[in-house]
Amino acid sequence: MKTTRYFVLPLLMLMTSRCSMTVEPSDAITTGSLVGSEQGLQNALNGIYSLFKDHIEFNGTQDDNNMYLRQYYQLTDFASDDITCGQVTEDPLFNSFTHDHSPTQSNTRYYWYVSYKMINSANTIIAAIDQHAELDTQTQQLLGECYFLRALCHFNLVRLFAKPYSIDPQAPGIVLRTHVDDPSEKGRSTVAEVYDAIIQDAEQAASLMNTPRGITYASKEAAWALLSRVYLYTEQHEKSIENADKVIQSGRFELETTASFPNLFANAQNSKETIFCIGFSQLDNYGKFGSIASMIYSDGNSGWGEEFASASLRKVMEEHPEDVRWSYIEAAKDEGGNVRKLNGIDCYYIRKFSFQDGDPNLSSPILFRLAEMYLNKAEAAAKLGQTAVALDMVDEIRKNRGLSASLYKGALPSGNTALDVVLKERRIELAFEGHRLYDLVRNKRNVVRAYWGYHLRGLKETDIQPTKVPTGYSNRDIAWDSNRIIYYIPVDEVLSNPAVIQNP
């Protein structure tokens, strides 16, 4: 990444242009009319939202594979035990499966770059509003959205590039950027300092956002949802519950039912369960080249479909074939009705990023939804010793997923703790949404990948014995405290910012 230069546009430039302007999505903060008109301010802010989905130029080139959300799901889910890889590939997504990371891998470099581009843009808008804008209710809403986006970007960065808070809050975190005049050469704050800043921003966001613009934009409830998640990670369980309850009790959202849940993700922008999603339309449809879905689904020629739901996840779900969450896992069948294989690996496609408007490559990825709030509350309650509350929250999910005949009703299964039950439910409910790896390491549980797939270093198709558990592979399982859980700081940052210390 090139050395970042921060600036605030001079007052004259900010205030002389009063006309409404059009701003290109990836170029949101380049003109002098940020606060000259409400429309100009909205255009600038909307440009940040576009960066979640744009394929923008990086290091002089534009690559179809480079998109914030595509990289986000690679770096989070592909490193977990929910998804398996059907081949060896030179695509950098393979580094997540093997946990063999590099400071030069292109997906982390791009993700770091675009994340700080979003943060820097938010900082510029915040500075401009603070100095020159009238804080009417609409401007307060837009300012709150900036604080929310800055908090969310910092949160995802610290999850990916720093040790979990529950392991070492004093470990090096990330470079915290909260002011337009931050020096370009700035060291890493501690994990605890980063989380403190995230909480401060999210709290500020929640206090400002009182004029919601719809679920494809941040809202007060989205800020509470982020706080519930963040407080879970920082082991402030009462506060996690408090913020989850704010969302649950807001009256704005409802859990999808057994009948409607199979259409939740294809209908994300209209779902009563969605708190915040990134809105895609046919104009944003990248098709086979560059979409999220093309990595994990194919109708025959719509995508590559080389990554699949793991045998480990499917085994957990096999207890309840009536569970409607199976609708997001599709067995690819051959002409004889048998599950197809890719290089010896069963092809079970993932459908959570497909079928908006019937298109196999189109979706509006959900970053926060109501079910997570019930499960955040369940996990926090389990850790506070409130077993009945934890099980009640899990049952709220299960009775809306086709499992009304299999509720816990306050009774723990033999040999299980409340946390065991909650983490199992989180795994099934939130599969493929970027949570699983962090649910494990946050709770000091290893990533166990005792199933066949090319995450196993050196695997050959002839080695695969479907009836046996793979053994003898050094990277089959990853310890919760392994340095390989986190990614290296990208080489661009290390070279341009000598104050940054690399991860071990």
Side-chain angles (χ1 to χ4, degrees), residues 9 29 69 73 94 101 124 176 229 238 261 264 281 310 318 333 339 352 391 395 406 410 426 446 456 465:
L9 297 173
I29 317 299
L69 288 173
Y73 292 111
F94 192 61
H101 306 145
T124 303
L176 195 58
R229 188 185 295 179
E238 294 90 347
F261 181 78
L264 189 165
S281 70
S310 72
E318 282 171 358
K333 300 290 185 68
V339 177
K352 278 193 174 179
L391 295 180
D395 279 349
S406 302
R426 286 183 69 94
N446 297 338
L456 301 172
Q465 302 180 61

Side-chain angles (χ1 to χ4, degrees), residues 409-424:
K409 298 180 179 178
L412 282 172
S414 177
N416 286 264
T417 65
L419 184 58
D420 293 333
V421 170
V422 172
L423 292 180
K424 179 180 177 181

Side-chain angles (χ1 to χ4, degrees), residues 280-301:
F280 279 68
S281 70
Q282 284 293 349
L283 295 175
D284 309 307
N285 190 351
Y286 296 122
K288 185 174 184 176
F289 299 96
S291 68
I292 299 167
S294 66
M295 300 183 290
I296 54 180
Y297 183 83
S298 178
D299 63 1
N301 73 121

